[in-house]
Amino acid sequence: MTARLASYAWLWLSAVMIALDQWTKAIAVEHLIYAQPVPVLPGLNWTLIHNYGGAFSFLSHQPGWQKWFFLIVASAVTLGLMEWLRRTPRSNWILCLPLSLLIGGAIGNLIDRASLGYVIDFVDVYYQTHHWPVFNVADSCVTVGIVWLICYEIFSKEARTERQNGKP
Amino acid sequence: MDYKNTISLPVTDFPMKADLPQREPNRLAEWAASDRYHAIQKHAADRPMFVLHDGPPYANGDIHIGHAVNKILKDIVVKSRLLAGFRAPYVPGWDCHGLPIEVAVEKKHGKVGQKLDARAFRAECRRYAAEQIDRQREDFKRLGVLGEWENPYRTMDYAYEAGIVRSLARIVDRGHVVRGFKPVHWCFDCQSALAEAEIEYGNKRDPAIDVAFKFIDGKKLAGAFGLEGSIDDASLAIWTTTPWTLPANQAVAVGAELVYALVKTARGHLLLAESLVESCLLRFGMSGEIVATTTGARLERCDVQHPFYDRVSLLILSDHVSAADGTGLVHCAPAYGVEDFHAVKRYSSEVLNPVGGDSRYAADLPLFGGQRIKDANPHIIALLQERGALLSSTEFDHSVAHCWRHKTPTIFRATPQWFISMDAASLRKDALSAIDTVRWIPDWGRERIYGMIENRPDWCISRQRTWGVPIPLFVDRERQLPHPRTGEWMLAVADKIEQGGIDAWFDLDANDWLGADVDRYEKVTDTLDVWFESGVSHSAVVCSRDNLGELPVDIYLEGSDQHRGWFHSALLTGVAMYGAAPYRQVLTHGFTVDAQGKKMSKSAGNVVAPQQVMKSLGADVLRLWVAATDYRAEMSVSDEILKRVSESYRRIRNTCRYLLANLNGFEPQNAVALDQMLPLDRYLIGQAHALQQKVIAAYDSYQFHQIYQDVHAFCAIELGAFYLDVLKDRMYTLQRDSLARRSGQTAMWHVLEALTRWIAPILSFTADEIWSYMPAREHPSPLFHTWYEQLAPVPSDFGLNAATMALLMQIREATQLALEPLRRDKAIGSGLDAEVDVHLSALQADALRPMANELKFLLIVSRATITTETAPAGATVVEREGISVAVAPRVSVAAKCVRCWHHVDDVGTHPDHPEICGRCVENVVGEGEVRAWF
Ligand SMILES: [Zn+2]
Ligand SMILES: [Zn+2]
């Protein structure tokens, strides 16, 4: 049993990311005025935004629905990722690391949706007049996790192919 | 090349068609699911309070348009106070006790004591009222009214019933309640006293007779006229339409200042008012001459003989006598007339009251004992005839008080009742001075209620009903005075009522309280006037709930009939309890009438039922009608009027939709700071700021029709006919992220943020719908927010100052007029097929020099050239305040750019893009066009 759940130790990383995410969001809510950018560096503002649905704009004006839609999808994805993590050996950090980041990121935003009905975003990156959609620490974890996993899949496939090709 | 993808056309999912009857219920479900009322209250918990205290509608029957108007106005006030930064709770209420519910229950279960005993009858009344409340509640919620619907106040709640008793205890304690025999409106069918508010007036035919009363002391009478000797054959004459009151006659009143004449006739001397001698003699069929005259004051106590009983009737002075009709002398039966009562009281404390509550004379009354009073009239007239006291007898049609329930005539009848005395503890004086601490809207409300309080008699608060809150007293059987421990006991009873409802008093065993005194005291079974019950809601609700702040509340808002109703009873109880009015402001609205100003009735077929409007047009259209109508006068409504309102609704909705469509792809991080904005956009922000100031002021002073007019004009004229029209080119053809386009989007975003707040108190469903499409909204509804703070007036050194803007608008008007004939002749399709020369004075030209290059965008033509040359003969001139501008148009001969539709000379100069103009090339493949002004 203990051996089976060994890779759950990686959830400590998820927990750290969740804490970091919620802490930064709390600071943003405390110090920022809604939708009023605070310049930090050239190309970076802190801009507090409430995200009710974002990408799924068709849901964002269906009153009430989007909250449940996102809650259910995010919960399902989190459970799936945890199962994946459980089946991965604890020492396989190349896979465990992105999985635990993804879990942390998903839960970070899930907490917002469940308690507030929206997600708190505040990182506003831009170049001249072109703005990236405003995001937060949880989004960063998810993005890094996904990119990592994609790279991992590509490289491991190449490695497999090479190994197979290399066989006499 | 296809340039479609290089153009940013407006896109939104926000539906053009409102479909309010279908969509509104979904939004109500969402408000219920997210507990919107409490979410807002929680959000606003730290704000200052603004309390609109709800006047309770009567819990009987479905709501009609008047109810809808009242609740919508309240909702507009509450929501606008939320937006103004207050915490504005709203606890709706219902008035539950009283006769109409008893009558409804009687219809099904018979009168009390027939099938049901009083306790079971009250239980039925309670059940019936609860059902009615449920029906009304659904309809009120459907109107979009936000409030604590799941926890309203009901005057039949045990806690409220206890609150009524506690309020009464306080009023008793402060010395305002007195026991008295007084004539009150009495309905024989109700077998109960009626309140002034339960009285209607209707016509009735009554006998009208003149009756002679013989003077007792001829010498005293002669003396009153300054005559020598004695006049022994003299009588006075009275005129009455209520012969049945003659057995209770105790006096005849004369006016102290009036002149009376002694008239010598064939049947002896008659006393009449001098001015009425001729008409009286004519009526009596007599001739006579005036022997002497005197003033009423000198006739005091020249007493007379009752016409058929062996007793004396006093001759008294009273202010209520006039020489307008009759004989100028008034027969007084103090038990059956308020004025008689007050007049006789000064001479005698005795009140003869031979008529029982069942309309029969007491059995021991000589001559007429046991007869019904309406049957007795002919017998009395016959007896007068027989005794030679009848001077004339006819019939008379007049307007008399009727019971509102039974439509039968009521009488005044002296009964033992409880009163709130207007003067015993200076209630009248204190109430009158409290009136001036209140702001009355409209201001004639003050005069109305002042007059009513100034002239009203004592307030009879007792009723003899089953479904009402008891007056829980033990009184001395003989002297009818309350038990010495009354104050303490009433509070104890209130605690019992809080546990078990009003039955706790009716079931209470007097022995438990009175002990040895049980034979000396009796338990009062009277109930309270329902106006008292609702009147004390300031105590039973506002002071008893912990979320409604303190008295006085900010506002009471009801129909204009409530100066005699709820405003009145709340003021009197408030002053009686705390020495102050329970409210700071009182707002009244007019009644609802049809388009011709006629009252609505089923028979006239002009009834507009709110339930029907919900199904056909939706609540927001009804709400807009309420806001658009000046509530200070009568409020006209008809299907036709509502149809017109729904057209205005569409205008506002479509403006918002177009703003949303232009905000496609815009998020707050794309916003441009105010000082970076293009001047035209900045100008719009200034306009919106000015309008918001007006809107705020109008909401603060409850002038909702002003808001409707201003906001509608802003949508139709400022935005629709000008700004949004001018911005099309910039929105569609410039690069998505360009400063100029983002500037325009920022202006539209700010305007929509503000506009949605302005309409949110009125168009609550639509505002929430718009809000759900708003880029990155902070809260789920505009009602969580306060008035928009990102608007600002233009700075003082602003390039597009008022004078420049006026000149530009004048040029725009001239251009549109100038293009009209070309358009009519099909020489041009749109303004972009034309060019204009704008002829200005040198001074004007200088003022516009910096923006000359972009003027064509403001005028929406392909070229606009400013010139100081004299205008040609055909030019269109527009003059305003002595300043004139001239515009000369012509059809453009340049090639048309397929992308922006401007006719420009440089179309085709770029080898890769032969179909488009240089500006478009810059926008498609270059760095992007730069705009400095428009
Ligand atoms: Zn009646
Ligand atoms: Zn072009």
Side-chain angles (χ1 to χ4, degrees):
Chain A
M1 195 68 187
T2 328
R4 281 261 194 93
L5 296 177
S7 44
Y8 272 3
W10 280 97
L11 290 179
W12 278 108
L13 178 61
S14 308
V16 168
M17 295 323 288
I18 292 167
L20 184 67
D21 176 57
Q22 292 293 313
W23 179 55
T24 51
K25 282 171 176 169
I27 292 173
V29 168
E30 177 74 25
H31 293 284
L32 299 176
I33 296 170
Y34 189 79
Q36 294 207 26
V38 174
V40 185
L41 299 167
L44 175 65
N45 290 335
W46 301 138
T47 309
L48 179 63
I49 295 293
H50 294 168
N51 186 339
Y52 286 79
F56 301 91
S57 68
F58 73 99
L59 285 168
S60 71
H61 13 83
Q62 287 303 323
W65 286 21
Q66 83 274 17
K67 179 174 164 180
W68 300 107
F69 178 83
F70 281 105
L71 283 180
I72 290 165
V73 169
S75 306
V77 168
T78 308
L79 288 174
L81 289 169
M82 286 179 65
E83 180 57 19
W84 190 355
L85 180 64
R86 191 178 66 80
R87 290 171 182 211
T88 308
R90 178 178 173 175
S91 56
N92 186 356
W93 67 271
I94 291 183
L95 197 48
C96 286
L97 182 82
L99 285 175
S100 53
L101 283 179
L102 273 170
I103 291 167
I107 293 177
N109 283 342
L110 194 67
I111 292 170
D112 287 14
R113 287 207 193 276
S115 62
L116 304 168
Y118 51 79
V119 171
I120 293 165
D121 290 332
F122 60 92
V123 187
D124 174 12
V125 175
Y126 66 98
Y127 170 69
Q128 289 175 348
T129 56
H130 312 280
H131 287 257
W132 196 258
V134 182
F135 60 95
N136 57 29
V137 172
D139 295 333
S140 315
C141 291
V142 170
T143 309
V144 170
I146 284 175
V147 171
W148 189 311
L149 278 182
I150 290 169
C151 295
Y152 173 82
E153 283 298 310
I154 292 167
F155 289 130
S156 63
K157 202 179 263 174
E158 274 173 15
R160 267 200 305 276
T161 321
E162 270 166 29
R163 267 203 305 279
Q164 276 162 6
N165 292 351
K167 265 190 176 171
Chain B
M1 180 175 167
D2 187 1
Y3 294 101
K4 214 189 289 165
N5 292 331
T6 69
I7 288 180
S8 321
L9 288 175
V11 178
T12 181
D13 296 332
F14 184 81
M16 175 98 85
K17 195 160 178 299
D19 276 334
L20 295 176
Q22 286 75 44
R23 251 188 269 274
E24 285 173 348
N26 295 338
R27 208 153 282 282
L28 286 171
E30 152 67 8
W31 293 346
S34 61
D35 196 5
R36 182 58 56 81
Y37 172 78
H38 286 105
I40 292 173
Q41 286 300 308
K42 203 175 138 199
H43 178 75
D46 297 333
R47 300 184 188 170
M49 281 291 239
F50 181 96
V51 177
L52 181 153
H53 179 46
D54 191 38
Y58 196 71
N60 191 23
D62 286 340
I63 70 163
H64 55 68
I65 191 84
H67 289 116
V69 166
N70 178 258
K71 280 288 194 275
I72 289 172
L73 281 172
K74 285 171 178 167
D75 195 46
I76 293 174
V77 169
V78 167
K79 286 173 178 166
S80 66
R81 291 308 85 198
L82 282 172
L83 281 156
F86 292 92
R87 175 180 154 207
Y90 175 63
V91 177
W94 273 277
D95 198 1
C96 306
H97 295 121
L99 195 57
I101 288 177
E102 282 192 19
V103 169
V105 171
E106 273 175 14
K107 270 189 199 140
K108 214 168 142 194
H109 300 280
K111 287 185 185 282
V112 181
Q114 288 180 340
K115 278 188 246 163
L116 298 175
D117 63 14
R119 196 189 164 92
F121 187 87
R122 278 192 287 269
E124 271 310 310
C125 289
R126 186 175 290 281
R127 205 182 52 71
Y128 177 84
E131 266 171 23
Q132 298 293 314
I133 288 171
D134 285 344
R135 290 176 64 97
Q136 293 190 358
R137 171 165 34 206
E138 285 317 301
D139 285 346
F140 284 145
K141 282 159 78 174
R142 179 62 188 84
L143 296 171
V145 178
L146 189 70
E148 206 164 334
W149 290 111
E150 303 323 310
N151 184 23
Y153 78 86
R154 308 183 305 171
T155 60
M156 66 177 184
D157 288 333
Y158 292 174
Y160 194 107
E161 290 175 338
I164 294 168
V165 172
R166 291 188 186 113
S167 302
L168 179 64
R170 188 173 169 113
I171 294 171
V172 169
D173 189 48
R174 287 169 61 101
H176 295 290
V177 175
V178 295
R179 180 76 159 160
F181 274 87
K182 278 195 185 176
V184 292
H185 287 287
W186 184 273
C187 171
F188 290 120
D189 295 305
C190 299
Q191 295 219 11
S192 172
L194 299 183
E196 197 61 51
E198 294 166 334
I199 291 296
E200 288 175 351
Y201 286 85
N203 282 326
K204 182 170 183 267
R205 173 162 293 192
D206 274 319
I209 56 173
D210 287 282
V211 182
F213 285 59
K214 275 206 172 92
F215 280 99
I216 295 167
D217 187 340
K219 226 172 150 185
K220 193 171 180 189
L221 179 67
F225 281 93
L227 301 174
E228 295 294 324
S230 170
I231 306 165
D232 294 326
D233 61 349
S235 306
L236 58 76
I238 61 95
W239 180 80
T240 180
T241 57
T242 52
W244 63 267
T245 59
L246 286 170
N249 173 280
Q250 290 180 252
V252 174
V254 294
E257 325 265 273
L258 297 180
V259 179
Y260 291 87
L262 196 61
V263 184
K264 190 171 164 47
T265 70
R267 77 178 297 290
H269 288 85
L270 277 180
L271 181 74
L272 296 165
E274 189 189 21
S275 58
L276 292 166
V277 168
E278 215 169 311
S279 62
C280 286
L281 291 180
L282 193 68
R283 198 160 69 233
F284 305 160
M286 291 176 189
S287 58
E289 60 185 278
I290 296 174
V291 177
T293 60
T294 188
T295 59
R298 296 188 62 187
L299 291 163
E300 189 176 16
R301 294 306 308 270
C302 288
D303 298 338
V304 290
Q305 180 65 40
H306 191 278
F308 48 79
Y309 289 138
D310 184 18
R311 66 170 189 249
V312 171
S313 291
L314 308 177
L315 206 153
I316 63 172
L317 301 182
S318 173
D319 296 340
H320 84 287
V321 180
S322 85
D325 53 11
T327 62
L329 294 100
V330 173
H331 137 64
C332 294
Y336 307 112
V338 179
E339 286 153 330
D340 295 4
F341 178 86
H342 289 292
V344 176
K345 195 169 69 172
R346 288 173 38 222
Y347 295 86
S348 163
S349 60
E350 190 189 17
V351 173
L352 299 176
N353 184 16
V355 180
D358 57 355
S359 92
R360 289 175 193 279
Y361 289 115
D364 59 356
L365 180 76
L367 302 170
F368 306 107
Q371 288 191 23
R372 283 178 179 280
I373 58 167
K374 67 176 179 210
D375 302 334
N377 276 339
H379 298 144
I380 291 170
I381 294 169
L383 181 69
L384 291 168
Q385 180 78 38
E386 194 187 312
R387 302 276 171 103
L390 189 68
L391 295 170
S392 85
S393 173
T394 56
E395 289 193 320
F396 187 66
D397 290 316
H398 59 157
S399 171
V400 298
H402 283 64
C403 169
W404 72 335
R405 176 63 43 196
H406 293 98
K407 315 292 178 200
T408 50
T410 60
I411 63 159
F412 277 104
R413 176 171 177 267
T415 48
Q417 300 288 347
W418 294 97
F419 291 84
I420 290 184
S421 166
M422 293 303 295
D423 304 298
S426 81
L427 178 58
R428 189 190 313 275
K429 190 171 134 270
D430 296 347
L432 289 176
S433 54
I435 285 172
D436 286 325
T437 66
V438 177
R439 181 176 163 220
W440 302 88
I441 311 161
D443 52 14
W444 50 257
R446 187 224 169 247
E447 304 313 315
R448 183 180 276 199
I449 197 160
Y450 196 94
M452 285 173 174
I453 299 281
E454 196 173 26
N455 296 312
R456 68 159 298 148
D458 288 351
W459 178 8
C460 176
I461 53 166
S462 47
R463 294 291 183 278
Q464 291 69 45
R465 308 300 321 166
T466 310
W467 179 230
V469 172
I471 299 177
L473 299 174
F474 295 103
V475 292
D476 187 305
R477 281 179 204 278
E478 274 174 33
R479 295 182 304 135
Q480 293 287 317
L481 291 174
H483 192 280
R485 291 179 66 187
T486 289
E488 164 200 347
W489 281 355
M490 280 178 89
L491 295 179
V493 171
D495 292 343
K496 283 193 174 293
I497 287 177
E498 185 144 23
Q499 297 307 312
I502 49 178
D503 286 316
W505 169 256
F506 296 112
D507 293 350
L508 180 144
D509 186 351
N511 285 309
D512 298 347
W513 299 67
L514 295 165
D517 278 343
V518 75
D519 292 329
R520 197 178 146 199
Y521 290 91
E522 63 186 357
K523 184 174 143 189
V524 171
T525 56
D526 289 351
T527 57
L528 278 161
D529 179 8
V530 286
W531 289 107
F532 182 91
E533 297 190 10
S534 57
V536 297
S537 62
H538 47 73
S539 164
V541 179
V542 180
C543 299
S544 303
R545 294 204 180 203
D546 53 11
N547 57 357
L548 289 179
E550 290 168 359
L551 293 178
V553 300
D554 292 279
I555 192 167
Y556 275 34
L557 188 166
E558 304 298 331
S560 54
D561 53 340
Q562 296 299 323
H563 289 111
R564 74 192 286 217
W566 192 53
F567 301 147
H568 196 115
S569 61
L571 176 70
L572 287 183
T573 52
V575 172
M577 290 174 73
Y578 335 102
Y583 37 65
R584 283 199 184 90
Q585 305 175 89
V586 170
L587 188 152
T588 47
H589 57 84
F591 291 110
T592 316
V593 294
D594 73 5
Q596 279 75 46
K598 291 203 197 82
K599 219 179 139 188
M600 290 192 182
S601 70
K602 273 199 188 116
S603 54
N606 58 357
V607 173
V608 175
Q611 294 83 356
Q612 208 49 47
V613 180
M614 297 301 101
K615 277 184 207 147
S616 58
L617 298 169
D620 268 1
V621 172
L622 190 67
R623 296 177 67 99
L624 188 60
W625 165 73
V626 171
T629 310
D630 187 348
Y631 59 75
R632 290 170 295 190
E634 287 180 328
M635 302 175 73
S636 289
V637 67
S638 66
D639 293 344
E640 186 56 37
I641 290 171
L642 288 173
K643 205 182 285 170
R644 273 202 302 262
V645 172
S646 58
E647 278 156 26
S648 304
Y649 169 82
R650 265 195 293 281
R651 161 66 77 177
I652 296 171
R653 181 181 180 90
N654 284 342
T655 302
C656 294
R657 180 172 186 273
Y658 187 68
L659 289 168
L660 280 172
N662 272 316
L663 289 174
N664 185 36
F666 177 88
E667 293 294 331
Q669 63 268 29
N670 303 118
V672 176
L674 289 194
D675 56 359
Q676 307 286 310
M677 277 179 149
L678 261 58
L680 183 64
D681 302 333
R682 186 64 188 79
Y683 169 78
L684 180 72
I685 297 289
Q687 295 285 96
H689 179 265
L691 178 53
Q692 176 159 277
Q693 297 307 305
K694 275 181 85 177
V695 167
I696 291 173
Y699 272 123
D700 287 350
S701 57
Y702 313 111
Q703 312 255 356
F704 309 130
H705 61 288
Q706 200 60 52
I707 296 163
Y708 162 78
Q709 282 167 17
D710 289 344
V711 170
H712 184 262
F714 184 70
C715 288
I717 299 166
E718 252 129 354
L719 291 174
F722 174 59
Y723 181 79
L724 295 176
D725 202 22
V726 172
L727 266 266
K728 277 178 185 155
D729 179 82
R730 188 167 9 128
M731 287 294 115
Y732 302 174
T733 68
L734 267 62
Q735 289 184 355
R736 258 165 219 149
D737 265 343
S738 62
L739 177 74
R741 187 165 176 278
R742 291 301 193 197
S743 166
Q745 283 187 314
T746 306
M748 292 186 200
W749 176 53
H750 287 317
V751 166
L752 189 59
E753 284 265 356
L755 175 60
T756 312
R757 287 163 168 85
W758 303 340
I759 63 172
I762 298 167
L763 301 174
S764 297
F765 292 95
T766 306
D768 255 35
E769 190 184 359
I770 295 166
W771 201 254
S772 72
Y773 290 82
M774 190 74 88
R777 57 209 180 274
E778 185 177 1
H779 296 294
S781 158
L783 295 178
F784 287 84
H785 293 258
T786 51
W787 301 123
Y788 196 52
E789 285 172 10
Q790 308 301 316
L791 305 175
V794 294
S796 53
D797 58 346
F798 186 58
L800 276 184
N801 59 36
T804 311
M805 209 56 214
L807 178 60
L808 288 168
M809 294 310 280
Q810 201 177 337
I811 295 169
R812 209 175 118 86
E813 189 187 335
T815 304
Q816 283 168 346
L817 286 172
L819 293 180
E820 197 45 48
L822 296 180
R823 204 174 267 145
R824 209 167 40 230
D825 299 343
K826 306 264 190 306
I828 57 168
S830 81
L832 290 178
D833 297 332
E835 302 178 349
V836 292
D837 286 335
V838 181
H839 296 269
L840 301 174
S841 70
L843 208 64
Q844 292 169 334
D846 275 348
L848 299 191
R849 190 83 60 213
M851 58 204 75
N853 287 339
E854 293 184 18
L855 187 57
K856 65 171 190 165
F857 296 117
L858 192 84
L859 303 180
I860 319 184
V861 293
S862 275
R863 187 203 298 264
T865 315
I866 293 174
T867 167
T868 52
E869 285 165 23
T870 325
T876 304
V877 181
V878 168
E879 193 181 313
R880 195 154 296 149
E881 289 166 17
I883 298 168
S884 71
V885 301
V887 169
R890 63 178 166 276
V891 179
S892 174
V893 293
K896 180 178 177 179
C897 167
V898 298
R899 185 170 174 273
C900 71
W901 299 358
H902 281 247
H903 291 260
V904 203
D905 291 337
D906 63 1
V907 171
T909 50
H910 195 286
D912 295 343
H913 300 280
E915 292 174 297
I916 60 173
C917 66
R919 187 169 74 91
C920 283
V921 172
E922 179 68 17
N923 282 330
V924 173
V925 294
E927 288 288 298
E929 179 189 354
V930 173
R931 293 269 184 100
W933 292 91
F934 308 124

